[in-house]
Amino acid sequence: MKDEVKELIPEAEITKRVRELGEQISKDYAGKELHVICILKGGVFFMCELVKHITVPVTHDFMAVSSYGDGTVSSGRIKIVKDLDDSIEGKDVLIVEDIIDSGRTLQHLLQVLGARNPKSIRLCTLLNKPDRREVEIPVDYIGFSIEDLFVVGYGLDYAQHYRNLPYVGVVEV
């Protein structure tokens, strides 16, 4: 990959905000056990750091959902590539996502997971693109709201590249 990446959100800002989110989630779930569902692949970097700052008991599982392929724009077709290993029935569930733009993927996931009878479902995202929203979905915890830019780093990729950047950056192709 020969594209240039311009830093948008520095590592230190991400670290501070993830800590704040963990503290808020811990307060909101005080006295409860939380089941975190990480949306792969991009959400894993965020989830790993986030749960370090959650003080209530945490269990976790993973789902892989695809709507992008190798492009920079969602295809609109949502496919569950990897489903959960365990039941979420009766559990307080927190979905952890790297980025929400159109909202279609999360709308689909909320329907699928809601049908599995969890006690509650909330949504946490590192990045939110409200200008791209096509469907309304309840986002309970937001790391950063950003403009409609194609971003990479901190788990987000462009054709599977740049996930390992410690910051969020904009690809300049």
Side-chain angles (χ1 to χ4, degrees):
M1 303 288 313
K2 295 185 182 189
D3 307 304
E4 294 294 320
V5 178
K6 180 182 174 190
E7 187 175 82
L8 179 66
I9 306 172
E11 181 178 11
E13 280 186 44
I14 296 170
T15 300
K16 178 179 183 282
R17 185 65 184 130
V18 170
R19 185 179 338 101
E20 292 168 352
L21 288 169
E23 291 169 359
Q24 184 60 54
I25 291 166
S26 297
K27 288 178 189 170
D28 293 350
Y29 286 93
K32 299 178 181 179
E33 182 172 309
L34 182 60
H35 188 69
V36 175
I37 297 175
C38 176
I39 307 303
L40 297 171
K41 297 176 183 171
V44 74
F45 288 74
F46 177 41
M47 191 265 320
C48 287
E49 292 304 313
L50 179 66
V51 297
K52 290 178 186 178
H53 301 286
I54 296 175
T55 57
V56 299
V58 173
T59 58
H60 66 273
D61 205 342
F62 300 91
M63 286 187 90
V65 182
S66 176
S67 66
Y68 278 85
D70 286 339
T72 61
V73 177
S74 174
S75 68
R77 292 181 306 275
I78 298 155
K79 180 172 104 177
I80 294 178
V81 180
K82 185 227 176 284
D83 207 340
L84 299 175
D85 293 330
D86 301 313
S87 170
I88 60 170
E89 186 169 350
K91 294 181 180 180
D92 288 305
V93 171
L94 179 67
I95 299 171
V96 175
E97 178 68 288
D98 55 358
I99 190 167
I100 301 173
D101 49 32
S102 74
R104 293 195 179 283
T105 299
L106 270 298
Q107 179 186 49
H108 179 76
L109 270 183
L110 287 169
Q111 290 172 350
V112 167
L113 296 176
R116 297 178 186 185
N117 301 314
K119 184 176 181 182
S120 68
I121 297 181
R122 288 189 178 172
L123 181 56
C124 180
T125 187
L126 176 64
L127 301 174
N128 182 40
K129 287 187 184 179
D131 293 343
R132 293 263 305 141
R133 199 74 83 244
E134 295 176 13
V135 296
E136 285 303 312
I137 56 167
V139 185
D140 303 282
Y141 306 99
I142 297 172
F144 302 92
S145 286
I146 62 170
E147 296 176 34
D148 185 15
L149 302 166
F150 190 79
V151 290
V152 296
Y154 207 80
L156 294 111
D157 74 298
Y158 174 40
Q160 299 298 328
H161 292 86
Y162 305 114
R163 288 189 195 277
N164 61 317
L165 297 175
Y167 57 87
V168 172
V170 178
V171 175
E172 297 178 343
V173 289

